[in-house]
Amino acid sequence: ETEDCEELSEVLTKRAGHKVWVHVPQRGEKAELRAMAQRNAQEETERATTVEERTAYTLELLGKMLNLPEPPKRMESFDISNTGKSDIVASMVVYSGTRPLKSAYRRFRIQSLEGHPDDYASMQEVISRRLQEYQEKKDTGEGFGRLPDLILLDGGKGHVAAVRPVLEAFGLQIPLFGMVKDDKHRTRGLVSAAGGEIMLAMHRGVFTFVTSIQDETHRWANDYRRRMQKSRAYSSTLQSVPGVGPATSRALMAHFKTVSAVKEA
């Protein structure tokens, strides 16, 4: 029911460019359609409210479990992936609330450890590069110019202890925790540099949320590593051609994208 039918009619008439009538049917098929639309709107509102409340509760509970001053709004998660001595890469996954912010994802190729894999040193390099970009772009307040409310590392106490000095060197006190797994490679809890572990299983919402972050970070790192391996294999194949060296093979792959396309050309 509304007393503004005439005003609504005028507004909609101007928007539509032709006469629009607004009225509230009281009986018949149109009245049934109106009632159905009202029920649908109410149910959708309740559903959305439930999702928002559930999200807010999950973040609030996570904040309390980690002794944060307030629920985290932006979280960044990091993982290292390598195949022995080569192709050492890292992933950075960003969550805004409980949703992945894929436009903010980043990938890193470890530069300081070629041929010498070291998860701790790799994590130090990645966090250092991320924070260095923050220092350069903080005036913009966008992208790397923003700091997270929480940093999560795919690893345990050792990873957190290795990264903590990096944050201190930049004069930052961002809450930092490692995501540890059980013997079956399932998320078990969060651990601090001091070694205190926070079990998640008894809080299903938080457990599911942190598990999704860890899985997504791991997936993003492994996907990049596989691409690097594929690119390296392509490059080796091209370099078997007389006269084609590393620089030429990279240029060919950048232009043609696949070895088959190069062969056809």
Side-chain angles (χ1 to χ4, degrees), residues 159-180:
H159 290 79
V160 179
V163 169
R164 175 57 63 190
V166 178
L167 296 178
E168 294 173 352
F170 280 87
L172 299 172
Q173 296 183 336
I174 304 172
L176 175 69
F177 292 86
M179 299 178 289
V180 292

Side-chain angles (χ1 to χ4, degrees), residues 49-63 71 98:
T49 302
T50 300
V51 171
E52 291 176 0
E53 289 177 346
R54 189 161 57 242
T55 296
Y57 177 72
T58 297
L59 295 175
E60 182 179 357
L61 185 56
L62 176 62
T98 58

Side-chain angles (χ1 to χ4, degrees), residues 15-50:
R15 291 286 186 90
H18 57 78
K19 187 62 178 178
V20 175
W21 298 92
V22 177
H23 64 99
V24 182
Q26 301 298 322
R27 62 180 65 84
E29 183 179 353
K30 290 185 178 181
E32 293 177 3
L33 286 173
R34 177 188 59 78
M36 182 176 67
Q38 189 169 357
R39 287 195 301 272
N40 289 343
Q42 185 174 354
E43 290 174 2
E44 178 63 19
T45 301
E46 291 175 351
R47 186 197 65 79
T49 302
T50 300

Side-chain angles (χ1 to χ4, degrees), residues 2 31 36-37 39 43 49 52 60 71 83-84 112 156 168 174 185 205 208-209 211 215 238:
T2 175
M36 182 176 67
R39 287 195 301 272
E43 290 174 2
T49 302
E52 291 176 0
E60 182 179 357
T83 53
S112 62
E168 294 173 352
I174 304 172
H185 298 284
T208 302
F209 177 47
T211 297
D215 290 345
L238 290 173

Side-chain angles (χ1 to χ4, degrees), residues 11-237:
V11 171
L12 293 174
T13 295
K14 291 180 181 179
R15 291 286 186 90
H18 57 78
K19 187 62 178 178
V20 175
W21 298 92
V22 177
H23 64 99
V24 182
Q26 301 298 322
R27 62 180 65 84
E29 183 179 353
K30 290 185 178 181
E32 293 177 3
L33 286 173
R34 177 188 59 78
M36 182 176 67
Q38 189 169 357
R39 287 195 301 272
N40 289 343
Q42 185 174 354
E43 290 174 2
E44 178 63 19
T45 301
E46 291 175 351
R47 186 197 65 79
T49 302
T50 300
V51 171
E52 291 176 0
E53 289 177 346
R54 189 161 57 242
T55 296
Y57 177 72
T58 297
L59 295 175
E60 182 179 357
L61 185 56
L62 176 62
K64 288 181 179 179
M65 292 170 68
L66 302 181
N67 290 320
L68 304 183
E70 58 184 22
K73 296 178 181 177
R74 179 185 174 97
M75 289 151 280
E76 294 180 2
S77 176
F78 298 82
D79 187 21
I80 305 296
S81 180
N82 64 73
T83 53
K85 295 182 179 180
S86 62
D87 298 324
I88 308 173
V89 300
S91 64
M92 170 183 153
V93 161
V94 181
Y95 272 69
S96 177
T98 58
R99 293 181 176 275
L101 187 61
K102 295 192 176 183
S103 61
Y105 284 18
R106 293 293 183 273
R107 286 167 167 155
F108 301 83
R109 181 174 181 177
I110 302 304
Q111 301 172 346
S112 62
L113 300 167
E114 191 68 34
H116 179 62
D118 183 326
D119 272 13
Y120 295 160
S122 297
M123 199 68 83
Q124 287 176 326
E125 178 186 320
V126 170
I127 300 298
S128 180
R129 286 166 60 184
R130 189 267 179 263
L131 296 179
Q132 182 61 46
E133 288 212 35
Y134 164 72
Q135 297 283 22
E136 297 170 0
K137 300 177 180 179
K138 60 183 178 181
D139 291 338
T140 67
E142 299 178 355
F144 273 20
R146 296 180 58 189
L147 286 177
D149 302 312
L150 174 66
I151 293 178
L152 298 174
L153 310 177
D154 189 62
K157 175 184 175 181
H159 290 79
V160 179
V163 169
R164 175 57 63 190
V166 178
L167 296 178
E168 294 173 352
F170 280 87
L172 299 172
Q173 296 183 336
I174 304 172
L176 175 69
F177 292 86
M179 299 178 289
V180 292
K181 297 180 179 179
D182 59 20
D183 296 337
K184 297 182 179 179
H185 298 284
R186 297 175 302 189
T187 305
R188 185 181 74 211
L190 297 174
V191 64
S192 65
E197 184 172 333
I198 302 168
M199 303 301 291
L200 301 175
M202 60 189 301
H203 301 287
R204 184 164 185 80
V206 175
F207 172 79
T208 302
F209 177 47
V210 174
T211 297
S212 70
I213 294 178
Q214 189 170 30
D215 290 345
E216 178 69 353
T217 311
H218 190 62
R219 180 197 67 79
W220 190 241
N222 283 341
D223 179 69
Y224 187 35
R225 174 182 53 77
R226 284 192 291 268
R227 292 190 184 191
M228 292 286 293
Q229 287 177 305
K230 193 173 184 180
S231 177
R232 190 183 296 274
Y234 285 164
S235 180
S236 298
T237 300

